[in-house]
Amino acid sequence: MLRISSPLHVPSICGAPVNFILSFWNPSSRKVSNFTRLALLHSTTLFPNSRNFQFPIFKRVSTMMGRTHSCSKVVTASYSAGSGPGGSSGGDREILVQHLLVKEDDQKLLLDLQKRTAEGEDLSDLAVEYSMCPSKEDGGMLGWVRKGQMVPEFEEAAFGAPLNKVVKCKTKFGWHLLQVLSEREESVLEHIQPNEFHVRLQDPSFLEEAQLIDVREPEEVAQASVPGFQVLPLRQFGVWGPEISTKFDPQKDTYVLCHHGMRSLQVAKWLQTQGFRKVFNVAGGIHEYAVKVDPSIPTY
């Protein structure tokens, strides 16, 4: 089991403490898992290009927490772009957003920036120069967001904004100019029970159509393993995390395994934020798979 001693020093992101960045989001969920803290430690390698920046550094990091449920489908991440992108009022979208933030009383600067964006200047370039949000270091890029993650005023403006149009909104932090760059379909995370997973493994085409990830440590895999899994040790997240979308296909069904199903659930939720469309967490991990399906696999 991954253990990180407490208290843990969580570094700044984009020059600002993590707690400041977290405060931009809905305050109902600010707890950060050990996995997320490890990810934050590698933030400089995770975000080399702001245009590809998708790792959740705001409230989104807390979605890696999560409780194990007995039902098979535990998360259906569905979001709506409201009357904006796609014109849908249903909860089936998430959006890619960039923004800049100025002080509430700096109306002159706000109007000037609005004028400059209307004349064709890039919002990300203006964010780097003028924004007071730590995201300025990434051109104001906030990454993929879903409903329920942002403060209400920002969420309403973002999910109601047409694609690529710069709109303004006011929150307790000041005035924002924001731009929705893209949208995508819902992402789904499910628990799959060992018996059902075993049935799928028997299908000869399964391993061609799916991708399997084991996040246990090498010494654990040496004791017990299931054929077909690629091993990505959680302690080596800083090595494989930045390359996940190039080594694996986000459009394929992805199955994640660990010892008891907790580390794998954290990684599965993180994979959602990286654009993986359908992710399965093997419930109970390899331990439950050995007990319920294949007693030839050692338990430890």
Side-chain angles (χ1 to χ4, degrees):
M1 179 178 180
L2 173 65
R3 296 185 182 277
I4 298 180
S5 59
S6 183
L8 173 71
H9 170 67
V10 181
S12 64
I13 299 178
C14 304
V18 171
N19 287 342
F20 173 85
I21 298 177
L22 284 169
S23 69
F24 179 72
W25 298 84
N26 187 326
S28 62
S29 181
R30 293 187 187 173
K31 293 182 179 179
V32 181
S33 69
N34 283 342
F35 170 69
T36 304
R37 294 183 181 190
L38 181 62
L40 292 173
L41 289 172
H42 297 285
S43 59
T44 56
T45 59
L46 277 173
F47 323 132
N49 186 328
S50 65
R51 292 295 179 183
N52 294 326
F53 166 63
Q54 296 178 12
F55 190 80
I57 61 172
F58 301 93
K59 182 196 167 186
R60 228 163 354 129
V61 297
S62 64
T63 64
M64 294 180 206
M65 297 292 291
R67 300 172 181 174
T68 303
H69 296 257
S70 58
C71 58
S72 62
K73 182 174 287 189
V74 293
V75 177
T76 300
S78 54
Y79 334 110
S80 170
S83 58
S88 171
S89 60
D92 60 356
R93 295 289 186 273
E94 58 183 348
I95 56 177
L96 182 65
V97 186
Q98 64 181 8
H99 86 131
L100 63 77
L101 172 67
V102 299
K103 294 180 180 179
E104 180 180 350
D105 58 0
D106 206 339
Q107 293 285 334
K108 183 178 179 180
L109 176 60
L110 176 67
L111 292 173
D112 179 59
L113 294 175
Q114 280 186 286
K115 180 181 178 181
R116 291 169 67 175
T117 58
E119 292 173 348
E121 289 196 49
D122 193 285
L123 183 65
S124 62
D125 292 335
L126 295 175
V128 170
E129 186 172 356
Y130 297 103
S131 181
M132 55 182 285
C133 176
S135 65
K136 65 181 296 180
E137 299 298 331
D138 290 297
M141 182 61 67
L142 298 179
W144 290 98
V145 299
R146 63 191 68 168
K147 281 196 169 181
Q149 295 176 314
M150 301 168 288
V151 292
E153 300 87 351
F154 192 96
E155 178 177 289
E156 181 179 358
F159 280 89
L163 279 175
N164 297 314
K165 182 178 180 179
V166 176
V167 300
K168 72 174 181 179
C169 73
K170 183 181 178 183
T171 70
K172 63 182 180 181
F173 302 102
W175 283 101
H176 305 259
L177 293 181
L178 65 90
Q179 185 177 33
V180 177
L181 302 175
S182 185
E183 63 173 350
R184 65 188 184 190
E185 296 295 328
E186 66 177 298
S187 173
V188 176
L189 167 61
E190 297 183 13
H191 273 315
I192 183 169
Q193 298 301 318
N195 289 328
E196 182 182 354
F197 179 62
H198 180 69
V199 171
R200 297 189 186 187
L201 279 176
Q202 308 316 302
D203 183 345
S205 65
F206 177 71
L207 292 179
E208 297 177 5
E209 300 171 352
Q211 45 201 5
L212 315 182
I213 299 174
D214 188 335
V215 298
R216 295 176 301 145
E217 302 306 315
E219 60 270 21
E220 294 180 90
V221 177
Q223 296 181 63
S225 62
V226 177
F229 278 87
Q230 296 189 52
V231 179
L232 299 180
L234 189 55
R235 286 198 180 108
Q236 296 177 28
F237 174 80
V239 175
W240 56 260
E243 303 177 349
I244 195 70
S245 295
T246 57
K247 291 189 175 181
F248 294 87
D249 184 353
Q251 300 306 315
K252 282 189 173 183
D253 290 359
T254 304
Y255 295 75
V256 191
L257 176 76
C258 71
H259 190 193
H260 290 292
M262 298 308 296
R263 283 173 289 174
S264 56
L265 179 58
Q266 292 177 328
V267 173
K269 289 188 174 185
W270 176 73
L271 287 173
Q272 280 191 292
T273 71
Q274 302 306 294
F276 282 71
R277 307 317 317 140
K278 196 164 187 178
V279 187
F280 296 86
N281 178 49
V282 181
I286 196 169
H287 177 83
E288 193 161 341
Y289 185 86
V291 171
K292 292 186 175 181
V293 176
D294 188 351
S296 69
I297 297 178
T299 58
Y300 64 97

